[in-house]
Amino acid sequence: MNTQPVKDVQGANQGASASPFVMETQCPFCSVQCKMRLTEYMPDASSAALGGSVPAFGYGQYAPAVQYSVEAKPNKASEGRLCVKGMNAYQHAVSDDRIVYPMARRGGAFERISWEEANAMMAERIEAIAGQHGRDAIGLYGGGSLTNESAYLLGKFARVALRTRYIDYNGRFCMSAAASAGNKTFGIDRGLTNPLSDIPLAKCIILTGTNIAECQPTLTPYFTKAKENGSYIIVIDPRETGTSKMADLHLRVKPGMDAALANGMLRTLIEEGLVDEKFVRARTKGYDALRTHIETQSVEEIAELSGVPAESIRKAAIAFGKAETGMVFTARGVEQQTDGFMAVRNFLNLTLLTGKIGKPGCGYGAVTGQGNGQGGREHGQKADQLPGYRLIENETHREYIASVWNIDPSELPGKGVSAYEMMEKVHEREIRALIVMGSNPVVSNPNANLVEEAMERLEFLVVADMFMSETARSADLILPVTSYLENAGTLTNLEGRVLLREGDRPAPGEARHDWRILCDLAERLGRGKYFEYADVEDIFEELRIASKGGVADYYGITYDRLRREEGVYWPCPSTDHVGNGRLFEQSFAHADGLAELVPVENHFPDERTDEAYPIYLTTGRVLSHYLTGVQTRRSHTLASRDFESFVELHPNAARRFGVTDGQLVTLTSRRGEIVVRCRVTRTIREDTVFVPMHWGDVQNVNKVTNQALDPTCRMPGFKVCAVHVRPLVAEHYA
């Protein structure tokens, strides 16, 4: 963490600078969305050669002379902090690896073409495939780091320009379990039910399946402040992490057994008389059925199932139950399971039974992973959604959005399928053409070997990206897009606070904004009249109207307000509404105002270990990288910190498999295998290995992960699969 200005110098020329190019922006990575000031310096000679006021782009003969400084700026979430990723985020934006003009695959190689040729090619191929196989033969695959405007436009483009039902996005792998659980339990899905400023007021905090110290490090001071105020922190994680090191109690749960562990804690709350009966009877429903179910549970049996000692389960539950205030946070460790929806619901049961919600120092937080994981799922990028968190199969919702888009409701397609299921439909050739924008599905999907095969089976693949990603290598057409420094728009952070990110740095080469690419293609497809926007604010103005009256109501938010107020919480139904930082103070968002409790069974992972695959694999992140690494691996500073993937094994597991620290090993599952470097450590359970998710090709951990899906939210079970570990045999790859 660093709150001081930092400087990175590219090249050796440090001569006198001309007037610097200065811009206020925010980090493009995690959901905190920290603010910063970036200053770009150019020596006089270079500046004059480029016309004096035009900043360099990191390309060509002037690049070695360019210098940059990054300064953290105060905002209401990060309070003026930046982590190592934020401080070095600009490096990928100015990288020489940027794609700067459209490229088409011809004769097995990529050739530069004009935008005119690119748009003509897309229109011709899409219309030909749709004409032969139907509109649903076209798919659109988006991303959770796109702005709200781009996410909104992707949903509209799919339904109005392409007229296909098949759209989904990589946020399906980030927030779908928590989002579904929040909607079902509370009637609304917003990452945090209360502001971040409530964290230091909580006297007990449960962090389950979340490694904030590495994934959202600028939030860590909120938790250290809570500890200073006497908070008791409980971390639930199979590994020892930077987050668990600040815990008072670390519960090393077996991967996939989180829901069972929560049942043990619920049983203890009931046994110890720590249920807030008044709150439960007045503000929830379903308690009697839940209590009947919990009374059949045994803490000792759950200890055996979960791998957590019964004494520790009771200790955690009593600490949370007795605390005057408390909060529960979940993230991918709980959510990326084949029972992720129900596992999250059980932790919401825990929150509700103790009455710790809707008041200062109390609440629930789904710690969003991607930069716009919250906003990206609110305005129509998901298969079943329309803007404002409306549902595409709800006739009233369809009628309203159709009126905003000036089409007949019958023209709107029906519900599509989830992200991984789209890959299956590509593999089955039900989807023949695919447009990928802001995502890298070859690395981010489970069962990645099937996804690679699927990409090769497409008749037409378009990838819009800043870099030659693993997915782009299979494309027929690659489109250059602008970076966060060049593309303005709004994003919604993990609190549900909408922020405006300015982006006025000139785009390199022929790169275009993603929203502009969609509008131009819509014109070529004969649907341009529905996509006439002067600028990105124009799109947001339409989004405001489209979201009006929906669960995620942005109608009262304007660019002018965002500039003045530095962020506004949704729901915000009018321009004089202050926005709701703390939800559920009086009632929940269901029609009857009550939250829903539900019994949750003790669920085993979809895939169990056996003689052939005797150890569990779980996945996660490391501090210096983000998602599939397409951006962070282009940052020389970040890449040098973690330049290759690895597998963590307990010393006893390493001896069992005959591998040593630093050795290259092969991990094999029922779906594929990868090669990574071995790290022997006592910070992980003996029955579990850990591999991060940021690398592709032979290090792509998703070549081995399980494609089984949660039946409710369609989240893949990334966090648990069975593998075998062996030393790398070179001849095997000869």
Side-chain angles (χ1 to χ4, degrees), residues 240-258:
E240 180 181 310
T241 66
T243 304
S244 71
K245 288 177 182 176
M246 71 176 176
D248 297 283
L249 180 62
H250 178 196
L251 307 182
R252 294 196 184 205
V253 66
K254 287 181 182 177
M257 300 311 298
D258 304 271

PDB file of all heavy atoms in Angstrom, residues 240-258:
ATOM      1  N   GLU A 240      -3.689 -20.390   4.786  1.00  0.00           N
ATOM      2  CA  GLU A 240      -3.265 -19.231   5.552  1.00  0.00           C
ATOM      3  C   GLU A 240      -2.889 -18.149   4.550  1.00  0.00           C
ATOM      4  O   GLU A 240      -2.093 -18.377   3.644  1.00  0.00           O
ATOM      5  CB  GLU A 240      -2.064 -19.568   6.437  1.00  0.00           C
ATOM      6  CG  GLU A 240      -1.577 -18.399   7.275  1.00  0.00           C
ATOM      7  CD  GLU A 240      -0.373 -18.763   8.126  1.00  0.00           C
ATOM      8  OE1 GLU A 240      -0.436 -19.798   8.821  1.00  0.00           O
ATOM      9  OE2 GLU A 240       0.635 -18.021   8.063  1.00  0.00           O
ATOM     10  N   THR A 241      -3.473 -16.974   4.705  1.00  0.00           N
ATOM     11  CA  THR A 241      -3.270 -15.871   3.764  1.00  0.00           C
ATOM     12  C   THR A 241      -2.935 -14.604   4.535  1.00  0.00           C
ATOM     13  O   THR A 241      -2.953 -14.577   5.769  1.00  0.00           O
ATOM     14  CB  THR A 241      -4.543 -15.627   2.937  1.00  0.00           C
ATOM     15  OG1 THR A 241      -5.581 -15.162   3.823  1.00  0.00           O
ATOM     16  CG2 THR A 241      -5.010 -16.892   2.227  1.00  0.00           C
ATOM     17  N   GLY A 242      -2.682 -13.544   3.799  1.00  0.00           N
ATOM     18  CA  GLY A 242      -2.481 -12.258   4.442  1.00  0.00           C
ATOM     19  C   GLY A 242      -3.693 -11.844   5.250  1.00  0.00           C
ATOM     20  O   GLY A 242      -3.568 -11.163   6.274  1.00  0.00           O
ATOM     21  N   THR A 243      -4.878 -12.254   4.808  1.00  0.00           N
ATOM     22  CA  THR A 243      -6.104 -11.941   5.535  1.00  0.00           C
ATOM     23  C   THR A 243      -6.205 -12.760   6.818  1.00  0.00           C
ATOM     24  O   THR A 243      -6.541 -12.233   7.882  1.00  0.00           O
ATOM     25  CB  THR A 243      -7.326 -12.194   4.640  1.00  0.00           C
ATOM     26  OG1 THR A 243      -7.190 -11.431   3.433  1.00  0.00           O
ATOM     27  CG2 THR A 243      -8.611 -11.792   5.334  1.00  0.00           C
ATOM     28  N   SER A 244      -5.900 -14.053   6.731  1.00  0.00           N
ATOM     29  CA  SER A 244      -6.013 -14.899   7.930  1.00  0.00           C
ATOM     30  C   SER A 244      -5.012 -14.496   9.007  1.00  0.00           C
ATOM     31  O   SER A 244      -5.238 -14.727  10.199  1.00  0.00           O
ATOM     32  CB  SER A 244      -5.832 -16.375   7.564  1.00  0.00           C
ATOM     33  OG  SER A 244      -4.489 -16.662   7.214  1.00  0.00           O
ATOM     34  N   LYS A 245      -3.905 -13.884   8.594  1.00  0.00           N
ATOM     35  CA  LYS A 245      -2.891 -13.485   9.576  1.00  0.00           C
ATOM     36  C   LYS A 245      -3.384 -12.390  10.512  1.00  0.00           C
ATOM     37  O   LYS A 245      -2.838 -12.215  11.601  1.00  0.00           O
ATOM     38  CB  LYS A 245      -1.619 -13.044   8.852  1.00  0.00           C
ATOM     39  CG  LYS A 245      -0.856 -14.200   8.218  1.00  0.00           C
ATOM     40  CD  LYS A 245       0.361 -13.716   7.434  1.00  0.00           C
ATOM     41  CE  LYS A 245       1.076 -14.890   6.780  1.00  0.00           C
ATOM     42  NZ  LYS A 245       2.214 -14.455   5.936  1.00  0.00           N
ATOM     43  N   MET A 246      -4.397 -11.636  10.083  1.00  0.00           N
ATOM     44  CA  MET A 246      -4.926 -10.609  10.989  1.00  0.00           C
ATOM     45  C   MET A 246      -6.119 -11.125  11.787  1.00  0.00           C
ATOM     46  O   MET A 246      -6.717 -10.394  12.576  1.00  0.00           O
ATOM     47  CB  MET A 246      -5.320  -9.351  10.200  1.00  0.00           C
ATOM     48  CG  MET A 246      -6.540  -9.484   9.328  1.00  0.00           C
ATOM     49  SD  MET A 246      -6.939  -7.882   8.540  1.00  0.00           S
ATOM     50  CE  MET A 246      -8.322  -8.372   7.493  1.00  0.00           C
ATOM     51  N   ALA A 247      -6.464 -12.400  11.617  1.00  0.00           N
ATOM     52  CA  ALA A 247      -7.635 -12.956  12.285  1.00  0.00           C
ATOM     53  C   ALA A 247      -7.321 -13.348  13.724  1.00  0.00           C
ATOM     54  O   ALA A 247      -6.197 -13.723  14.068  1.00  0.00           O
ATOM     55  CB  ALA A 247      -8.150 -14.170  11.524  1.00  0.00           C
ATOM     56  N   ASP A 248      -8.352 -13.293  14.565  1.00  0.00           N
ATOM     57  CA  ASP A 248      -8.275 -13.846  15.917  1.00  0.00           C
ATOM     58  C   ASP A 248      -8.558 -15.347  15.892  1.00  0.00           C
ATOM     59  O   ASP A 248      -8.108 -16.076  16.773  1.00  0.00           O
ATOM     60  CB  ASP A 248      -9.291 -13.140  16.814  1.00  0.00           C
ATOM     61  CG  ASP A 248      -8.999 -11.658  16.948  1.00  0.00           C
ATOM     62  OD1 ASP A 248      -8.082 -11.311  17.708  1.00  0.00           O
ATOM     63  OD2 ASP A 248      -9.670 -10.862  16.273  1.00  0.00           O
ATOM     64  N   LEU A 249      -9.305 -15.790  14.882  1.00  0.00           N
ATOM     65  CA  LEU A 249      -9.638 -17.207  14.743  1.00  0.00           C
ATOM     66  C   LEU A 249      -9.668 -17.553  13.262  1.00  0.00           C
ATOM     67  O   LEU A 249     -10.388 -16.918  12.491  1.00  0.00           O
ATOM     68  CB  LEU A 249     -11.004 -17.498  15.378  1.00  0.00           C
ATOM     69  CG  LEU A 249     -11.503 -18.939  15.318  1.00  0.00           C
ATOM     70  CD1 LEU A 249     -10.559 -19.883  16.066  1.00  0.00           C
ATOM     71  CD2 LEU A 249     -12.928 -19.037  15.882  1.00  0.00           C
ATOM     72  N   HIS A 250      -8.866 -18.545  12.865  1.00  0.00           N
ATOM     73  CA  HIS A 250      -8.811 -18.997  11.475  1.00  0.00           C
ATOM     74  C   HIS A 250      -9.390 -20.405  11.398  1.00  0.00           C
ATOM     75  O   HIS A 250      -8.851 -21.341  12.001  1.00  0.00           O
ATOM     76  CB  HIS A 250      -7.361 -18.986  10.978  1.00  0.00           C
ATOM     77  CG  HIS A 250      -7.194 -19.474   9.571  1.00  0.00           C
ATOM     78  ND1 HIS A 250      -5.971 -19.854   9.049  1.00  0.00           N
ATOM     79  CD2 HIS A 250      -8.093 -19.661   8.564  1.00  0.00           C
ATOM     80  CE1 HIS A 250      -6.126 -20.247   7.801  1.00  0.00           C
ATOM     81  NE2 HIS A 250      -7.409 -20.132   7.483  1.00  0.00           N
ATOM     82  N   LEU A 251     -10.477 -20.572  10.674  1.00  0.00           N
ATOM     83  CA  LEU A 251     -11.123 -21.863  10.480  1.00  0.00           C
ATOM     84  C   LEU A 251     -10.701 -22.412   9.120  1.00  0.00           C
ATOM     85  O   LEU A 251     -11.129 -21.900   8.080  1.00  0.00           O
ATOM     86  CB  LEU A 251     -12.645 -21.720  10.548  1.00  0.00           C
ATOM     87  CG  LEU A 251     -13.220 -21.026  11.796  1.00  0.00           C
ATOM     88  CD1 LEU A 251     -14.736 -20.996  11.732  1.00  0.00           C
ATOM     89  CD2 LEU A 251     -12.738 -21.689  13.071  1.00  0.00           C
ATOM     90  N   ARG A 252      -9.852 -23.453   9.122  1.00  0.00           N
ATOM     91  CA  ARG A 252      -9.320 -24.003   7.871  1.00  0.00           C
ATOM     92  C   ARG A 252     -10.285 -25.054   7.312  1.00  0.00           C
ATOM     93  O   ARG A 252     -10.051 -26.260   7.402  1.00  0.00           O
ATOM     94  CB  ARG A 252      -7.945 -24.616   8.099  1.00  0.00           C
ATOM     95  CG  ARG A 252      -6.880 -23.614   8.473  1.00  0.00           C
ATOM     96  CD  ARG A 252      -5.519 -24.234   8.299  1.00  0.00           C
ATOM     97  NE  ARG A 252      -4.456 -23.363   8.731  1.00  0.00           N
ATOM     98  CZ  ARG A 252      -3.211 -23.429   8.275  1.00  0.00           C
ATOM     99  NH1 ARG A 252      -2.888 -24.340   7.378  1.00  0.00           N
ATOM    100  NH2 ARG A 252      -2.281 -22.616   8.722  1.00  0.00           N
ATOM    101  N   VAL A 253     -11.337 -24.584   6.718  1.00  0.00           N
ATOM    102  CA  VAL A 253     -12.393 -25.461   6.226  1.00  0.00           C
ATOM    103  C   VAL A 253     -11.907 -26.284   5.033  1.00  0.00           C
ATOM    104  O   VAL A 253     -11.081 -25.838   4.240  1.00  0.00           O
ATOM    105  CB  VAL A 253     -13.629 -24.619   5.840  1.00  0.00           C
ATOM    106  CG1 VAL A 253     -13.323 -23.719   4.647  1.00  0.00           C
ATOM    107  CG2 VAL A 253     -14.842 -25.483   5.576  1.00  0.00           C
ATOM    108  N   LYS A 254     -12.426 -27.511   4.916  1.00  0.00           N
ATOM    109  CA  LYS A 254     -12.179 -28.298   3.713  1.00  0.00           C
ATOM    110  C   LYS A 254     -12.831 -27.597   2.529  1.00  0.00           C
ATOM    111  O   LYS A 254     -13.960 -27.087   2.650  1.00  0.00           O
ATOM    112  CB  LYS A 254     -12.777 -29.701   3.854  1.00  0.00           C
ATOM    113  CG  LYS A 254     -12.064 -30.644   4.778  1.00  0.00           C
ATOM    114  CD  LYS A 254     -12.764 -32.008   4.779  1.00  0.00           C
ATOM    115  CE  LYS A 254     -12.104 -32.977   5.737  1.00  0.00           C
ATOM    116  NZ  LYS A 254     -12.835 -34.278   5.774  1.00  0.00           N
ATOM    117  N   PRO A 255     -12.186 -27.547   1.369  1.00  0.00           N
ATOM    118  CA  PRO A 255     -12.816 -26.919   0.202  1.00  0.00           C
ATOM    119  C   PRO A 255     -14.193 -27.523  -0.074  1.00  0.00           C
ATOM    120  O   PRO A 255     -14.370 -28.742  -0.073  1.00  0.00           O
ATOM    121  CB  PRO A 255     -11.837 -27.235  -0.933  1.00  0.00           C
ATOM    122  CG  PRO A 255     -10.514 -27.374  -0.257  1.00  0.00           C
ATOM    123  CD  PRO A 255     -10.820 -28.027   1.064  1.00  0.00           C
ATOM    124  N   GLY A 256     -15.169 -26.649  -0.264  1.00  0.00           N
ATOM    125  CA  GLY A 256     -16.512 -27.084  -0.619  1.00  0.00           C
ATOM    126  C   GLY A 256     -17.435 -27.353   0.547  1.00  0.00           C
ATOM    127  O   GLY A 256     -18.616 -27.644   0.337  1.00  0.00           O
ATOM    128  N   MET A 257     -16.945 -27.239   1.779  1.00  0.00           N
ATOM    129  CA  MET A 257     -17.762 -27.584   2.941  1.00  0.00           C
ATOM    130  C   MET A 257     -18.199 -26.352   3.745  1.00  0.00           C
ATOM    131  O   MET A 257     -18.504 -26.439   4.935  1.00  0.00           O
ATOM    132  CB  MET A 257     -17.009 -28.561   3.838  1.00  0.00           C
ATOM    133  CG  MET A 257     -16.637 -29.862   3.153  1.00  0.00           C
ATOM    134  SD  MET A 257     -18.029 -30.655   2.270  1.00  0.00           S
ATOM    135  CE  MET A 257     -19.163 -30.973   3.615  1.00  0.00           C
ATOM    136  N   ASP A 258     -18.276 -25.213   3.088  1.00  0.00           N
ATOM    137  CA  ASP A 258     -18.624 -23.967   3.763  1.00  0.00           C
ATOM    138  C   ASP A 258     -20.061 -23.974   4.275  1.00  0.00           C
ATOM    139  O   ASP A 258     -20.336 -23.494   5.381  1.00  0.00           O
ATOM    140  CB  ASP A 258     -18.422 -22.794   2.804  1.00  0.00           C
ATOM    141  CG  ASP A 258     -17.013 -22.751   2.245  1.00  0.00           C
ATOM    142  OD1 ASP A 258     -16.160 -22.120   2.861  1.00  0.00           O
ATOM    143  OD2 ASP A 258     -16.770 -23.379   1.202  1.00  0.00           O
TER     144      ASP A 258
END
